[in-house]
């Protein structure tokens, strides 16, 4: 018994070019996605009542500015290594 709350951060890419990389950070509660940040949208989007409330608060605060920079820090700086590793093994 209990509740599950978790965040799964990932990068979707098909090349090392920054325009081909998307930073995605969905938030889940009991296996249901409640809110997500997607760098191609540039803001948080809520999918449940709680998610919509969180998205509204985060989009009007400093959180959205900070997470917009995560694509560069988290994805762009690391995708090159992952991409080269995958290409040389396929």
């Amino acid at each position: 018994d209990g509740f599950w709350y978790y965040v799964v951060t990932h990068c979707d890419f098909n090349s090392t070019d920054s325009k081909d990389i998307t930073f995605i950070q969905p938030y889940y509660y009991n296996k249901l996605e409640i809110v997500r940040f997607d760098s191609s949208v540039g803001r948080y989007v809520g999918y449940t009542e709680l998610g919509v409330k969180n998205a509204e608060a985060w989009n009007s605060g400093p959180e959205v500015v900070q997470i917009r920079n995560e694509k560069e820090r988290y994805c762009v700086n690391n995708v090159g290594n992952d991409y080269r590793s995958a290409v040389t093994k396929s």
Side-chain angles (χ1 to χ4, degrees):
D1 288 352
F3 300 97
W4 288 79
Y5 174 76
Y6 54 99
V7 179
V8 181
T9 301
H10 63 279
C11 306
D12 289 346
F13 60 94
N14 57 17
S15 81
T16 57
D17 190 340
S18 180
K19 69 178 175 53
D20 294 329
I21 300 171
T22 305
F23 172 81
I24 300 172
Q25 189 173 69
Y27 293 72
Y28 295 89
Y29 181 73
N30 286 347
K31 300 181 183 178
L32 178 66
E33 186 175 1
I34 59 172
V35 66
R36 158 188 298 226
F37 179 85
D38 182 326
S39 66
S40 63
V41 176
R43 62 186 181 87
Y44 290 94
V45 176
Y47 300 106
T48 65
E49 184 179 345
L50 175 62
V52 169
K53 288 179 182 179
N54 283 330
E56 288 172 356
W58 295 343
N59 286 329
S60 62
E63 295 87 355
V64 75
V65 174
Q66 181 180 353
I67 201 161
R68 285 180 182 149
N69 295 323
E70 290 298 289
K71 175 183 172 180
E72 187 71 31
R73 186 193 69 78
Y74 188 81
C75 296
V76 175
N77 285 335
N78 295 305
V79 161
N81 293 332
D82 296 337
Y83 188 80
R84 282 187 293 281
S85 178
V87 168
T88 60
K89 292 183 175 52
S90 57

